[in-house]
Amino acid sequence: MPHQPVIDGLEFAMTGAKLQGTWPIADFRRLRDALHAEAGALSYALQGVPEAQGCPALRLRVSGALQLVCQRCLGALEFPLHIEVLL
């Protein structure tokens, strides 16, 4: 398993730092039972927001596609993933 980045969230937010890249879907152990295939990767972008609504915050964006197991036919079901959250 690749090295997982560790950040100080408050400092990251206050300085407006940015971190982005891709993460292999195969590394998400808790998803494995729901996946039809572990190929591919998810893209992520983490950005510090110095003063969002009066407080330092982190904006996380994750996108990609998961190949899930269809519960009806047990075949592959492509599930597009687009998440944006402010922490």
Side-chain angles (χ1 to χ4, degrees), residues 28 42-46 60-64 80-85:
F28 293 91
L42 297 177
S43 299
Y44 67 89
L46 181 66
L60 176 63
R61 293 183 176 106
V62 179
S63 62
L81 187 67
H82 301 285
I83 298 171
E84 183 171 340
V85 64

Side-chain angles (χ1 to χ4, degrees), residues 61-77:
R61 293 183 176 106
V62 179
S63 62
L66 300 174
Q67 294 294 320
L68 301 176
V69 175
C70 175
Q71 296 300 301
R72 183 173 180 196
C73 69
L74 300 179
L77 172 69

